[in-house]
Amino acid sequence: QVQLVESGGGSVQPGGSLRLSCAASGSIGRFYTMNWYRQAAGKQRELVASITSGDVTKYGDSVKGRFTISRNNAQNTVYLQMNSLKPEDTAVYYCLGVGFGENYWGQGTQVTVSS
């Protein structure tokens, strides 16, 4: 069993930046992808960004060029650097580890972008 704990959320003005962290209680090397999802109020959860064990990244169209996903295997942590934030980025952000026959979700962290 692995626990994923997100942190770094908060309130920020449009145009601002936040860095989210997803810390795993065990090795993230067991996951072939680490992912960030988000869910805004009244909307379906959507993929924001993902990174493979080989550091191949993928981004949702709405965040390309603004968000960057990265991983630190030594610290068992995945990051999401979010720049040029917009009100439509407001959501609960979740971390998901996908392994062979196992998926683990974190509890989520709230990001609010408002003036």
Side-chain angles (χ1 to χ4, degrees):
Q1 190 79 5
V2 174
Q3 287 188 324
L4 301 178
V5 179
E6 301 95 335
S7 61
S11 295
V12 64
Q13 292 187 340
S17 297
L18 285 174
R19 188 175 82 153
L20 304 184
S21 299
C22 170
S25 60
S27 172
I28 61 173
R30 68 191 288 165
F31 300 120
Y32 54 80
T33 65
M34 295 294 299
N35 309 271
W36 285 99
Y37 277 77
R38 68 185 181 187
Q39 187 166 20
K43 295 188 177 180
Q44 289 189 330
R45 196 170 293 192
E46 64 173 351
L47 177 67
V48 176
S50 66
I51 186 167
T52 69
S53 56
D55 287 336
V56 176
T57 59
K58 182 173 68 174
Y59 296 93
D61 288 341
S62 62
V63 306
K64 283 180 182 176
R66 301 188 296 122
F67 291 11
T68 303
I69 188 171
S70 61
R71 60 192 292 160
N72 184 322
N73 291 332
Q75 296 185 345
N76 293 313
T77 302
V78 177
Y79 302 98
L80 185 68
Q81 178 66 44
M82 306 187 296
N83 298 328
S84 302
L85 283 161
K86 304 175 181 180
E88 51 264 44
D89 294 318
T90 295
V92 178
Y93 284 71
Y94 298 90
C95 180
L96 168 66
V98 178
F100 294 98
E102 60 180 4
N103 293 340
Y104 293 100
W105 287 94
Q107 84 290 346
T109 185
Q110 175 72 45
V111 171
T112 302
V113 184
S114 173
S115 55

